[in-house]
Amino acid sequence: MIRIRTLIAVGLVAVLCALTGLIMLRLSEDIRSTESATNLAVVNGELSTEVESEVGQALKQILSFDPANPEATQDAAESVLTGKAAEQYETLLGDLEERAAGQELTLTANIAVIGVRRLSATTADLLVFLDQSSVREADDSSSVSAAQLQVSALKRDGKWLISTITVI
């Protein structure tokens, strides 16, 4: 009689342990599939550094302008922009070239802070704080302005391309 009760108790404990294990397994799957768990910006410092470096350098190139060499800015834009960002930039660059040529305006962009908000193997969302200084040759005046940008990038053929730029 005692032996049967012991076997029943051991059996119940085994069933409870198995159920607990299944519940924990299901909960761990839920945790691994959350947005923060799939965000590589949280767990992959090397990839975060790579996208910050490439996008930061690209922004410096496309947001700097020398009226003596406007082709450099245009060439940079063609190599680092895609989609909506490329379309927006064409409009911006046309306006800038008109103003800069007449005023001999030189623009230099410097990244103050850049950080990855969301990252996967092929997409990234970044927040960028930059300073853009301008020098007008005609009257030797200068100014500095700050900008905050939300930038999205896509990785194609091993290179990060900027797909959207939003001023915030």
Side-chain angles (χ1 to χ4, degrees):
M1 186 81 151
I2 294 178
R3 193 170 208 178
I4 293 177
R5 286 185 184 167
T6 303
L7 287 176
I8 291 173
V10 169
L12 285 174
V13 168
V15 168
L16 287 174
C17 286
L19 285 174
T20 302
L22 289 173
I23 290 169
M24 292 299 178
L25 181 62
R26 176 68 178 130
L27 289 174
S28 70
E29 288 174 10
D30 288 346
I31 291 170
R32 276 182 266 162
S33 64
T34 63
E35 184 177 338
S36 62
T38 59
N39 185 358
L40 296 179
V42 177
V43 295
N44 190 331
E46 187 175 316
L47 188 58
S48 293
T49 301
E50 175 188 307
V51 71
E52 287 172 352
S53 175
E54 288 188 33
V55 170
Q57 184 63 32
L59 288 170
K60 284 172 59 173
Q61 291 174 340
I62 64 171
L63 296 176
S64 296
F65 181 81
D66 182 353
N69 187 11
E71 296 82 20
T73 303
Q74 181 65 36
D75 291 346
E78 289 173 4
S79 70
V80 300
L81 298 177
T82 189
K84 187 177 177 182
E87 295 167 16
Q88 292 170 323
Y89 192 78
E90 283 300 318
T91 303
L92 173 68
L93 188 62
D95 294 342
L96 177 63
E97 284 180 336
E98 286 178 24
R99 287 186 294 138
Q103 300 177 20
E104 297 180 26
L105 186 64
T106 301
L107 302 172
T108 306
N110 290 306
I111 305 299
V113 180
I114 187 169
V116 181
R117 296 178 52 214
R118 179 105 182 99
L119 180 62
S120 74
T122 58
T123 62
D125 292 320
L126 301 98
L127 184 59
V128 182
F129 295 88
L130 63 86
D131 296 321
Q132 192 174 41
S133 59
S134 62
V135 176
R136 186 175 299 131
E137 295 290 327
D139 59 4
D140 204 27
S141 64
S142 63
S143 66
V144 177
S145 61
Q148 298 84 35
L149 307 173
Q150 184 172 320
V151 178
S152 296
L154 303 172
K155 192 168 191 178
R156 288 196 190 140
D157 299 323
K159 182 179 178 182
W160 287 99
L161 302 176
I162 297 171
S163 57
T164 63
I165 302 172
T166 306
V167 178
I168 53 174

